[in-house]
Amino acid sequence: MGESFKIMIVAGEDSGDGHAAKLVMALREVRPDAHFEFFGSAGPRMRDAGVEATVEADGLSIVGLAEIGRALPMFLRVMKKLRAVAADKKPDVAVLVDFPDFNLKLAKHLKRLGIKVVYYISPQLWAWRKYRLSTIKKYVDLMITVLPFEKDWYREHGVEHVEYVGSPLAREVHADRSKEEFCRDHDLDPSRPTIALLPGSRRKEIARILPIMLEAVRDKRLEDTQLVLALATEKHVAYVKETFKIARDNLHIVHNETYDALNAADATAVTSGTATLEAGIIGTPMVVVYKTSAVNYKLLEPLIDVPHYGLINLIAGKRLAKELIQDDLSGQRLSDELAHLLQKNVNAAMRKELKIAADKLGHGGASKRAAEVILRELAK
């Protein structure tokens, strides 16, 4: 019988749940002879991958200072529960996946219990909250990064135990259907220009950003375009239909089809976050948008220390995609940018630039490399 590994794994958002599930499967693939016991904070994909849900992560993704404040008692209960199970089960390693506001606090408690801590998918300290470096130096044994510039950044700031594995999205983000197949399935004309609208994965984001997107596409310059509103879940579809008046007859709402929608689109308005990388990998010319509450923006904006909000722009090292953030985001400005992207020469030029940027993310296999790094750490 092979070795046994007891691994605590903690994710708190939908993207982290997906990355963690792939990591769990990769660990089993790398060591098929070993017995793994996984437990921790698990979303639906982690649970499907066989992670015992000490805590179900489905309700932990919250945006906004006021919302986080109201949810504080829930987070304290979750923290207490995870600390207790860690003390009881004494895992060989704790793998903390993204979710830094929670996971960095948890790392402190785990390290005090004598548990080895691996952090997978670095907090964006290079963008803001550099003061968290001291926490990482004290309580994280190994940082696994997924963006190409992060390892050097950490080394420059005195963090030595860093491994770069490439983005889990590289070569894993792809359309399952051709543009023609997607258009046929949704009664679209592949010969007409198509715009994909990605208003975010959280209801608060949708509430603030989608009305501006819908205002933008009413512009006369875009009246001949077909519109695809790509949402994350069926619940979001119901919410949008109940809440927003959709004025365009040719707007098609889809869910769980984002990659196919991006592949079929000539241009997209995409909410800042991981989706900008996904759109960049697929190669869809984009406008990056974001809007939060005035209070949140006033408090957080002075802390942000990067030249670009969009991750695809950060990877490229330049402003490939126009960014319309907070007060810069309006229906008029968004319609101007979308109309600009639909020009053939502009569209073709951005597609070439996006391919160059996407190649910097690696060439697949990030989850497997992360698994190998974790197993090496366990062998020390």
Side-chain angles (χ1 to χ4, degrees):
M1 185 175 178
E3 287 182 274
S4 293
F5 297 106
K6 194 182 296 184
I7 298 178
M8 182 177 186
I9 186 162
V10 179
E13 297 177 304
D14 182 65
S15 61
D17 178 50
H19 295 321
K22 290 174 185 175
L23 178 62
V24 165
M25 292 184 283
L27 283 161
R28 292 198 183 102
E29 179 186 347
V30 173
R31 285 295 306 273
D33 60 313
H35 171 74
F36 289 95
E37 178 186 350
F38 296 103
F39 63 92
S41 174
R45 281 170 285 186
M46 291 170 68
R47 297 195 294 272
D48 287 345
V51 180
E52 178 188 341
T54 305
V55 171
E56 292 195 354
D58 309 49
L60 299 183
S61 180
I62 294 172
V63 174
L65 298 178
E67 292 84 353
I68 291 171
R70 286 192 291 270
L72 186 58
M74 175 192 70
F75 283 116
L76 291 174
R77 288 193 299 273
V78 169
M79 180 72 71
K80 184 178 180 181
K81 197 168 185 180
L82 290 173
R83 287 169 59 185
V85 75
D88 179 54
K89 291 196 173 188
K90 296 181 174 59
D92 300 302
V93 66
V95 181
L96 310 181
V97 184
D98 204 357
F99 203 46
D101 288 317
F102 183 89
N103 272 339
L104 286 177
K105 292 180 177 66
L106 180 61
K108 181 177 180 179
H109 295 296
L110 295 173
K111 198 64 183 167
R112 287 176 176 172
L113 291 170
I115 297 168
K116 187 184 291 285
V117 175
V118 172
Y119 209 108
Y120 180 44
I121 304 183
S122 164
Q124 296 177 355
L125 306 192
W126 35 267
W128 69 320
R129 296 189 180 182
K130 289 185 177 66
Y131 61 83
R132 287 173 162 173
L133 275 166
S134 61
T135 300
I136 288 171
K137 290 175 183 178
K138 287 180 184 177
Y139 306 118
V140 174
D141 296 284
L142 175 65
M143 175 65 69
I144 301 177
T145 66
V146 300
L147 298 178
F149 56 82
E150 290 179 316
K151 183 173 182 177
D152 288 341
W153 186 90
Y154 272 111
R155 291 285 175 84
E156 289 167 6
H157 289 80
V159 180
E160 294 298 325
H161 302 292
V162 185
E163 293 283 352
Y164 168 61
V165 297
S167 172
L169 298 177
R171 303 299 180 261
E172 295 181 17
V173 171
H174 57 83
D176 293 320
R177 288 169 288 176
S178 67
K179 176 175 182 174
E180 289 71 24
E181 289 170 331
F182 179 83
C183 288
R184 181 195 64 216
D185 292 345
H186 292 286
D187 197 25
L188 296 164
D189 182 350
S191 67
R192 289 176 57 192
T194 300
I195 294 173
L197 305 177
L198 277 64
S201 60
R202 302 179 180 96
R203 187 171 290 195
K204 287 278 187 181
E205 291 174 336
I206 295 170
R208 290 195 176 97
I209 295 169
L210 181 56
I212 300 171
M213 289 181 169
L214 294 176
E215 178 188 348
V217 296
R218 287 197 291 268
D219 189 288
K220 287 185 177 179
R221 292 170 295 177
L222 304 177
E223 62 185 3
D224 191 45
T225 59
Q226 302 170 118
L227 306 173
V228 178
L229 175 56
L231 301 171
T233 69
E234 196 169 359
K235 288 182 180 178
H236 287 159
V237 174
Y239 166 68
V240 164
K241 288 182 175 178
E242 292 169 4
T243 308
F244 301 96
K245 184 178 180 181
I246 306 295
R248 289 277 295 263
D249 291 335
N250 63 343
L251 188 147
H252 301 258
I253 302 177
V254 302
H255 70 280
N256 290 329
E257 297 181 67
T258 299
Y259 297 166
D260 287 341
L262 286 170
N263 184 58
D266 297 281
T268 179
V270 56
T271 299
S272 180
T274 304
T276 71
L277 284 185
E278 295 168 331
I281 291 168
I282 289 172
T284 313
M286 74 188 85
V287 187
V288 178
V289 303
Y290 201 77
K291 192 176 187 69
T292 185
S293 71
V295 171
N296 282 344
Y297 189 74
K298 187 173 183 180
L299 290 171
L300 299 178
E301 195 273 338
L303 304 176
I304 297 172
D305 187 27
V306 284
H308 315 291
Y309 282 84
L311 283 173
I312 192 63
N313 288 335
L314 285 167
I315 298 300
K318 60 183 178 180
R319 187 67 60 90
L320 281 188
K322 183 74 174 182
E323 297 182 354
L324 300 178
I325 309 297
Q326 202 63 14
D327 294 339
D328 288 337
L329 178 58
S330 68
Q332 182 62 56
R333 294 202 65 183
L334 181 55
S335 62
D336 288 345
E337 294 302 326
L338 288 171
H340 180 65
L341 287 178
L342 291 176
Q343 296 177 29
K344 287 186 177 181
N345 60 330
V346 174
N347 199 279
M350 183 177 281
R351 288 182 184 273
K352 289 180 181 178
E353 293 275 17
L354 289 172
K355 185 179 185 308
I356 294 169
D359 283 344
K360 295 181 180 181
L361 293 170
H363 299 280
S367 299
K368 184 177 179 181
R369 284 192 293 275
E372 291 168 343
V373 167
I374 290 168
L375 289 167
R376 285 202 302 269
E377 188 70 17
L378 280 169
K380 287 181 180 179

